[in-house]
Coordinates of all heavy atoms in Angstrom, one line a residue:
G5 N 0.1 10.7 2.5 CA 0.4 11.8 3.4 C -0.8 12.7 3.5 O -0.8 13.8 4.2
I6 N -1.9 12.4 2.9 CA -3.1 13.1 3.0 C -4.0 12.6 4.1 O -4.2 11.4 4.2 CB -4.0 13.1 1.7 CG1 -3.1 13.7 0.5 CG2 -5.3 13.8 1.8 CD1 -3.7 13.4 -0.8
V7 N -4.5 13.5 5.0 CA -5.4 13.1 6.1 C -6.7 13.8 5.9 O -6.8 15.0 5.6 CB -4.7 13.5 7.4 CG1 -5.7 13.2 8.6 CG2 -3.4 12.8 7.6
R8 N -7.8 13.1 6.0 CA -9.2 13.6 5.9 C -10.0 13.2 7.1 O -9.8 12.1 7.7 CB -9.9 13.1 4.6 CG -9.3 13.6 3.4 CD -9.7 15.1 3.2 NE -9.3 15.6 1.9 CZ -8.4 16.4 1.6 NH1 -7.7 16.9 2.6 NH2 -8.2 16.8 0.4
R9 N -10.9 14.1 7.5 CA -11.8 13.7 8.6 C -13.2 13.3 8.1 O -13.6 13.7 7.0 CB -12.0 15.0 9.5 CG -10.8 15.5 10.2 CD -11.1 16.4 11.3 NE -9.9 16.9 11.9 CZ -9.2 16.3 12.9 NH1 -9.6 15.1 13.3 NH2 -8.1 16.8 13.4
I10 N -13.8 12.5 8.9 CA -15.2 12.0 8.5 C -16.2 13.1 9.0 O -16.1 13.5 10.1 CB -15.4 10.7 9.2 CG1 -14.5 9.6 8.7 CG2 -16.9 10.3 9.0 CD1 -14.6 8.2 9.3
D11 N -17.1 13.4 8.2 CA -18.1 14.4 8.6 C -19.2 13.8 9.4 O -19.2 12.6 9.6 CB -18.6 15.2 7.4 CG -19.5 14.5 6.5 OD1 -19.9 13.4 6.8 OD2 -19.9 15.0 5.4
D12 N -20.2 14.6 9.8 CA -21.2 14.1 10.7 C -22.2 13.1 10.0 O -23.0 12.4 10.6 CB -22.0 15.2 11.3 CG -22.6 16.2 10.3 OD1 -22.2 16.2 9.1 OD2 -23.6 16.9 10.7
L13 N -22.1 13.0 8.7 CA -22.9 12.0 7.9 C -22.1 10.8 7.5 O -22.6 9.9 6.8 CB -23.5 12.7 6.7 CG -24.5 13.8 6.9 CD1 -24.9 14.4 5.6 CD2 -25.7 13.3 7.7
G14 N -20.8 10.7 8.0 CA -20.0 9.5 7.8 C -19.3 9.6 6.4 O -18.8 8.6 6.0
R15 N -19.2 10.8 5.8 CA -18.6 10.9 4.5 C -17.1 11.3 4.6 O -16.7 12.0 5.6 CB -19.3 11.9 3.7 CG -20.7 11.5 3.4 CD -21.4 12.6 2.6 NE -21.5 13.8 3.5 CZ -22.3 14.8 3.3 NH1 -23.2 14.8 2.3 NH2 -22.4 15.9 4.1
V16 N -16.3 10.8 3.7 CA -14.9 11.3 3.6 C -14.7 11.8 2.1 O -15.1 11.1 1.2 CB -13.9 10.1 3.8 CG1 -12.5 10.5 3.6 CG2 -14.2 9.5 5.2
V17 N -14.0 12.9 2.0 CA -13.8 13.4 0.7 C -12.5 12.9 0.1 O -11.4 12.9 0.8 CB -13.7 15.0 0.7 CG1 -13.3 15.5 -0.7 CG2 -15.0 15.6 1.2
I18 N -12.5 12.3 -1.1 CA -11.3 11.8 -1.7 C -10.8 13.0 -2.5 O -11.5 13.5 -3.4 CB -11.6 10.6 -2.6 CG1 -12.2 9.5 -1.8 CG2 -10.4 10.1 -3.4 CD1 -12.8 8.3 -2.7
P19 N -9.5 13.4 -2.3 CA -8.9 14.5 -3.0 C -9.0 14.4 -4.5 O -8.9 13.3 -5.0 CB -7.5 14.5 -2.5 CG -7.5 13.8 -1.2 CD -8.6 12.8 -1.3
K20 N -9.2 15.5 -5.1 CA -9.3 15.6 -6.6 C -8.1 14.9 -7.3 O -8.3 14.2 -8.3 CB -9.5 17.1 -7.0 CG -9.7 17.2 -8.5 CD -9.9 18.7 -8.8 CE -10.3 18.9 -10.2 NZ -10.6 20.3 -10.5
E21 N -6.9 15.1 -6.8 CA -5.7 14.6 -7.5 C -5.8 13.0 -7.5 O -5.5 12.4 -8.5 CB -4.5 15.0 -6.7 CG -3.2 14.5 -7.3 CD -2.9 15.0 -8.8 OE1 -3.4 16.1 -9.2 OE2 -2.2 14.3 -9.5
I22 N -6.2 12.5 -6.4 CA -6.3 11.0 -6.3 C -7.5 10.5 -7.2 O -7.3 9.5 -7.9 CB -6.5 10.5 -4.8 CG1 -5.3 10.8 -4.0 CG2 -6.9 9.1 -4.8 CD1 -5.4 10.5 -2.5

Side-chain angles (χ1 to χ4, degrees):
I6 300 169
V7 175
R8 291 285 190 249
R9 295 197 184 277
I10 295 175
D11 72 8
D12 58 340
L13 295 177
R15 298 176 295 197
V16 177
V17 175
I18 300 171
K20 186 176 185 177
E21 180 64 26
I22 292 174

